[in-house]
Structure formats: C-alpha cells, structure tokens
C-alpha cells in the first residue's frame, strides 16, 4: 500500500562533514558581465518575493495548464498548510509549502505528511539545508523547472538527495560534470564521494589523472579531507612528477595545521600527514628532485633521508617504508590522420608560416601534444611553437625543440599541461616550425578517424598559411588521454 511506506526518517540524511562546502568555494567566481546566473542572495531574494501576493479573483482561469496553476503556489502563503524554517541558526528563512504538492514530488515528504509516523506539525525546522537550495528544490517540485547556478548547485544536490528527488539530483550532477576542471576536481571528488555519485566521482578521477599537476597545484587541493588525500596519493594512474605530489602534500599539510589550530611547524606538518606521507613515492623521484627538494624539506627524518640516498646509489638497497615502484601514469593515445607520407625537393618548407588544422571529438579527451614530421634529408633539430585554440581563445601553447633522425616517423611535442577538450566542438591545432626547410608531409588525409573509443573529425583551418589541410601537410598526429 503506497500510503503505508516504511517509516522513513527525513532528518537523518545529513552529511557527516566538519564543513559542508558550497559550490561557490569550488567554482571560479568570475562570470561574464552579461551572465544570467544569479548569486545566492539575488536568487534567494528573487524567489522569496516571487508569489507572496494574493492573486486576483478567478486567477485559475488565467492559466490553461495544471503546471502553470500549480506554479502559482510556489513560495506562496495562499492555502499553505505547512511552513519550513530553513537554514542554520542565524540564517534561517520561513518558507510556505503545500503538503499535497510536496508529497507528490518526494517520497520523503509523503512519509513526512501521510506516512504511518506522520506528525501534524505546522512548522518544520530544517537546519542542514541552505534556504536558496531548498527554494530551488521547491521550484522544481511546483513548477517542473530546474534553475541551477554555480553558487547553489552543490547545496541543491544535497537537498535533492535528502528528499529523494532523483531527476533534480541528476540535473545537479550534470551541471557539476560540465563545470569540472583541474582547479575544482579534487575538492569536488571529496564531495561526490559523500553524495554517492559514482559517475561524478569517475569524471573527477579522469580530470585528476590526466591533469594531475594542475589539480595538485590548485587551491582546491588543500581543501580536501584526509581520506580523499590518501586516495589521491595512492592513485596508480596519477600523471604527475613525484616531486609535484610531494610539494602538494606539504601544501595540504600546512592548511590542515591551520584547520586544526596547530602551530605551523615541520613536526606538525608531518603529524597531520601521518601514514599518508609513505604513500608519496619519494624513491621514484629524479635524484636532483630528491636532493634539492624532499631531502631538504625537513619533513623526512635523518634515517629516512640516508636510506633513500642509499636506495639511489647502493648495490644493496635498504628496506623503505615508502612505495618504491613508480606510478604507471596514463598511456597517451595517438590519432594519426594520414594514410601515407612523402617528401619532395620543393616542399614541405617553413620560414615562420603556420600549419594548422581543426578537429572535433565525440567524447571528452585531454590533448597532451602533437606528433610532427621531421627532416627528409638527414637528422635535424626543429624549434616548434604549438598552440591549441577554441573560437580564437588560446587554451594551451608551448615552445620547445625536438630532434628528427631523418626517418618518416612522427616526433612528439608536448604541452606543459594536457588541455581538456569538450565533445562536439571544433578546436584549432597550430604549429610554427623553424628548422630544416625540407621535411616529410602527410598525404591521403582522412576527414574522420576512429581512435579507440574516440571518433575524431578534421576540417581545414583558416589559420593555416603553409598549406596544411585535411588532405595533406603537417600535424599528422593528435596525442591525447581519454
């Protein structure tokens, strides 16, 4: 019997964290001047004053659908038979509700008002939900509208989970996934685990793995909890130098000391890191990184420092508490767009001109670099300025050198950090080469290439001033993580 649901306790679904983060703490606060997104205060005020006026007589006849008439009751005292006092002490708002509408929209509200343990209260206190988030949930229940903003989406997801409104929760997760970047991936990972959202957790891991150094250097990394720190330090596929992992852990420890009101000292940093320190694979660092960084940080004991130096140099290596096997990292994939290559005496020439091509993918990937052709008349060194743009905006660029051995092979040139690429949008890959005038070039180019589970489409770029296009030219390979 649907009216006799199990006695759901709607007050126990509460996050067990010291501090529940708002999305404003995770997402950048900068917004375009013409953005329609509203702040928490603006959104809150907009909804508080939405329908609290008594409508005109016969107002029902003005709206042709039940959805429109139902929407008139959103945040409206008219016929309200329950009120909610929402928010923490000192920041509460009293919001009207209609039991029937709420029960239709949520099984928790149904149990609250019509279940076996229903209590006939005129006022219900909800201290663990933000008022703006509660309003966003009510707006969905009453109006069938999903109104999300970066400032309120995490709190709205919490409310949707607490009151079992699954479609709103899914919309919140989709919003978070599309807003995900290396800057917020670590702290959002900790939140997604609390919300038990495996898809969002997986997306966070994809970003952290591929853009590990950016993620570890972000401010958000220092805001994660200890359990999340351990899971990141254990990560086998983390695509980062171990010295970067070590420095990030020390930055986290410094902030954690402040959170625990501990004096900022080497001893306390080691104390808050605890056994997580041994998850950092210090013996796998380059010797220079260890000697100039970890060994002089003061965090290691003299015995640990001595044993690690012996690990690098001695034939008989001491036993270490640190993991001594290097992380596997991620294996880059290569999308090759030509079926053959060639060389002629009059091409391919450079002289500062730009070779460029546009591409789009059907799944989110991370471009790590390009594979380029080299000299067709013996070994040579090239200077390459590579660039990746979207709608004219530069997303990544790098200036580096590579050595060509005179073969028709491609040679990788890397960005400093992998660049996140969204699906179904064209990006522009460009390179300006300086080196041997005669090189190999691609022929029989393909407009579409299947690379693993990723489909890549190519089209000509207006930035190309050196002859590269879909059918032939330079930039034969995109190197990416997926």
């Amino acid at each position: 019997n649907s009216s006799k649901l199990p006695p759901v306790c709607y007050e126990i679904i509460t996050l067990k964290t010291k501090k529940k983060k708002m999305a404003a703490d995770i997402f950048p606060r900068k917004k375009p001047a013409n953005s329609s997104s509203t702040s928490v205060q603006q959104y809150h005020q907009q909804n508080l004053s939405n329908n609290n006026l008594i409508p005109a007589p016969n107002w029902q006849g003005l709206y042709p659908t039940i959805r429109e008439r139902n929407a008139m009751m959103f945040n409206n005292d008219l016929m309200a038979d329950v009120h909610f006092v929402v928010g923490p002490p000192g920041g509460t708002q009293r919001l009207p509700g209609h039991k029937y509408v709420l029960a239709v929209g949520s099984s928790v509200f149904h149990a609250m008002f019509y279940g076996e343990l229903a209590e006939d209260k005129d006022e219900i206190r909800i201290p663990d939900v933000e008022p703006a988030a509660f309003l966003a949930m009510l707006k969905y229940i009453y109006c069938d509208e999903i109104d999300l903003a970066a400032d309120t989406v995490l709190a709205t997801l919490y409310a949707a989970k607490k009151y079992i409104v699954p479609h709103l929760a899914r919309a919140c997760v989709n919003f978070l996934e599309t807003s995900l970047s290396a800057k917020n991936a670590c702290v959002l990972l900790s939140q997604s685990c609390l919300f038990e959202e495996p898809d969002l957790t997986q997306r966070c891991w994809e970003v952290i793995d591929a853009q590990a150094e950016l993620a570890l250097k972000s401010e958000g990394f220092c805001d994660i909890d200890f359990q999340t720190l351990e899971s990141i330090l254990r990560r086998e596929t983390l695509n980062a130098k171990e010295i970067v992992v070590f420095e990030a852990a020390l930055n986290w420890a410094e902030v954690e000391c402040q959170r625990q009101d501990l004096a900022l000292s080497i001893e306390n940093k080691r104390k808050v890191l605890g056994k997580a320190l041994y998850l950092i694979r210090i013996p796998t660092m380059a010797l220079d990184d260890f000697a100039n960084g970890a060994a002089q940080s003061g965090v290691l004991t003299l015995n640990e420092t001595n044993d690690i130096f012996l690990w690098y140099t001695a034939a008989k290596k001491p036993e270490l508490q640190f993991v001594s096997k290097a992380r596997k990292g991620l294996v880059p994939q290569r999308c090759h767009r030509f079926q053959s290559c060639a060389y002629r005496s009059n091409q391919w020439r450079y002289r500062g001109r730009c070779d460029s091509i546009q591409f789009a993918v059907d799944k989110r990937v991370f471009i790590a670099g390009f594979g380029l052709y080299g000299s067709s008349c013996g070994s040579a060194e090239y200077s390459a300025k590579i660039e990746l743009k979207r709608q004219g905006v530069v997303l990544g660029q790098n200036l580096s050198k590579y050595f060509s051995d005179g073969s028709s092979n491609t040679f990788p040139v890397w960005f400093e950090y992998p660049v996140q690429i969204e699906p179904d949008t064209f990006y522009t890959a460009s390179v300006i080469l300086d080196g041997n005038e005669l090189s190999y070039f691609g022929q029989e180019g393909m407009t579409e290439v299947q690379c693993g589970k990723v489909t890549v489409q190519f089209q000509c770029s207006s930035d190309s001033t050196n002859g590269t296009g879909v059918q032939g030219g330079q930039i034969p390979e995109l190197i990416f993580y997926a």
Side-chain angles (χ1 to χ4, degrees):
N1 189 324
S2 60
S3 65
K4 294 185 178 181
L5 294 173
V8 178
C9 181
Y10 49 87
E11 289 297 342
I12 65 170
I13 312 174
T14 306
L15 291 182
K16 296 179 180 178
T17 55
K18 295 180 181 178
K19 179 184 178 184
K20 186 172 57 183
K21 278 190 170 292
M22 293 290 289
D25 299 318
I26 298 177
F27 296 106
R29 294 184 181 274
K30 285 188 176 181
K31 299 176 184 175
N34 60 349
S35 172
S36 60
S37 297
T38 54
S39 68
V40 174
Q41 291 81 8
Q42 291 171 323
Y43 177 83
H44 183 65
Q45 188 58 41
Q46 168 189 327
N47 286 288
L48 276 179
S49 59
N50 190 25
N51 284 331
N52 279 329
L53 298 176
I54 299 174
N58 303 320
W59 60 270
Q60 294 87 343
L62 301 175
Y63 302 98
T65 67
I66 184 63
R67 189 188 71 83
E68 291 173 292
R69 293 191 292 274
N70 212 43
M72 282 297 296
M73 294 296 99
F74 166 58
N75 197 25
N76 197 328
D77 275 306
L78 182 66
M79 296 186 286
D81 50 1
V82 66
H83 282 80
F84 301 95
V85 179
V86 186
T92 61
Q93 293 291 340
R94 192 171 186 270
L95 305 174
H98 306 78
K99 293 181 179 179
Y100 167 75
V101 178
L102 295 169
V104 169
S106 159
S107 59
V108 175
F109 282 130
H110 184 279
M112 189 186 297
F113 301 133
Y114 301 106
E116 288 182 344
L117 300 180
E119 296 183 19
D120 189 18
K121 289 183 178 179
D122 294 331
E123 188 173 275
I124 297 173
R125 295 186 176 276
I126 307 176
D128 61 316
V129 177
E130 301 288 339
F134 196 79
L135 281 166
M137 182 180 68
L138 293 187
K139 191 168 188 178
Y140 171 74
I141 292 174
Y142 278 81
C143 312
D144 201 25
E145 293 179 16
I146 296 175
D147 189 2
L148 300 175
D151 289 332
T152 58
V153 62
L154 266 180
T156 303
L157 175 59
Y158 175 78
K161 287 280 189 177
K162 177 182 172 82
Y163 292 100
I164 312 180
V165 187
H167 297 292
L168 178 60
R170 173 46 48 189
C172 292
V173 171
N174 290 339
F175 184 100
L176 292 168
E177 286 182 352
T178 57
S179 306
L180 191 58
S181 71
K183 292 181 179 180
N184 56 42
C186 292
V187 66
L188 190 53
L189 173 68
S190 63
Q191 302 292 312
S192 67
C193 294
L194 291 169
F195 289 130
E196 296 181 348
E197 283 292 339
D199 291 344
L200 181 57
T201 300
Q202 178 59 31
R203 275 286 297 118
C204 290
W205 278 124
E206 289 173 6
V207 173
I208 293 168
D209 281 342
Q211 297 181 303
E213 294 197 359
L214 281 176
L216 293 170
K217 291 177 180 179
S218 68
E219 291 183 11
F221 178 78
C222 295
D223 291 331
I224 62 177
D225 57 89
F226 183 77
Q227 184 178 357
T228 305
L229 173 72
E230 284 188 309
S231 66
I232 293 174
L233 296 182
R234 283 195 182 96
R235 192 74 174 172
E236 188 69 29
T237 47
L238 209 60
N239 213 36
K241 295 178 181 177
E242 208 62 31
I243 186 63
V244 175
V245 179
F246 178 79
E247 290 170 350
L250 289 190
N251 290 337
W252 179 90
E254 183 174 329
V255 176
E256 182 65 14
C257 285
Q258 295 171 5
R259 281 192 288 262
Q260 295 187 21
D261 292 326
L262 297 174
L264 198 57
S265 65
I266 296 296
E267 292 76 15
N268 284 335
K269 285 183 183 180
R270 178 159 180 140
K271 178 183 177 182
V272 297
L273 281 171
K275 292 183 179 180
L277 178 65
Y278 298 111
L279 299 175
I280 305 171
R281 306 185 183 194
I282 294 177
T284 69
M285 290 181 185
L287 181 56
D288 285 350
D289 287 341
F290 173 70
N292 297 316
Q296 298 188 43
S297 67
V299 173
L300 306 179
T301 66
L302 288 175
N303 284 339
E304 287 169 343
T305 303
N306 183 63
D307 284 348
I308 294 172
F309 268 121
L310 289 175
W311 174 268
Y312 282 109
T313 56
K316 185 179 180 181
K317 301 185 184 301
E319 290 188 7
L320 301 175
Q321 287 186 274
F322 296 94
V323 180
S324 56
K325 185 179 179 181
R327 301 177 197 272
K328 293 180 180 178
L330 293 178
V331 178
Q333 299 184 43
R334 293 175 179 249
C335 174
H336 197 90
R337 67 188 188 93
F338 295 126
Q339 299 180 71
S340 66
C341 69
Y343 66 92
R344 300 192 189 110
S345 61
N346 62 341
Q347 57 180 325
W348 204 259
R349 296 178 183 273
Y350 299 109
R351 301 178 185 172
R353 291 190 290 263
C354 179
D355 288 288
S356 184
I357 192 73
Q358 287 192 318
F359 69 93
V361 294
D362 64 341
K363 293 180 177 62
R364 185 181 287 107
V365 301
F366 300 86
I367 297 293
F370 306 146
L372 303 176
Y373 288 123
S375 171
S376 59
C377 52
S379 60
E381 187 178 66
Y382 286 86
S383 173
K385 180 183 178 182
I386 59 173
E387 192 172 71
L388 193 59
K389 294 191 294 187
R390 177 182 180 180
Q391 297 176 348
V393 178
V394 176
L395 304 177
Q397 61 182 2
N398 200 18
L399 179 63
S400 62
K401 296 181 183 294
Y402 69 95
F403 181 78
S404 162
D405 60 8
S407 71
S408 60
N409 296 330
T410 59
F411 303 92
V413 180
W414 307 94
F415 289 105
E416 185 178 4
Y417 303 111
V419 180
Q420 182 169 303
I421 300 297
E422 299 299 330
D424 306 320
T425 301
F426 273 95
Y427 292 78
T428 303
S430 302
V431 60
I432 297 176
L433 287 166
D434 183 20
N436 198 320
E437 285 287 290
L438 301 178
S439 77
Y440 288 92
F441 60 92
Q443 292 186 137
E444 300 178 278
M446 296 172 283
T447 57
E448 184 173 296
V449 180
Q450 188 70 34
C451 189
K453 297 181 179 180
V454 180
T455 302
V456 187
Q457 292 182 324
F458 294 96
Q459 68 180 26
C460 292
S461 167
S462 60
D463 290 352
S464 191
T465 58
N466 199 40
T468 288
V470 173
Q471 295 302 316
Q474 262 285 9
I475 318 182
E477 286 182 338
L478 299 178
I479 307 173
F480 65 93
Y481 302 114

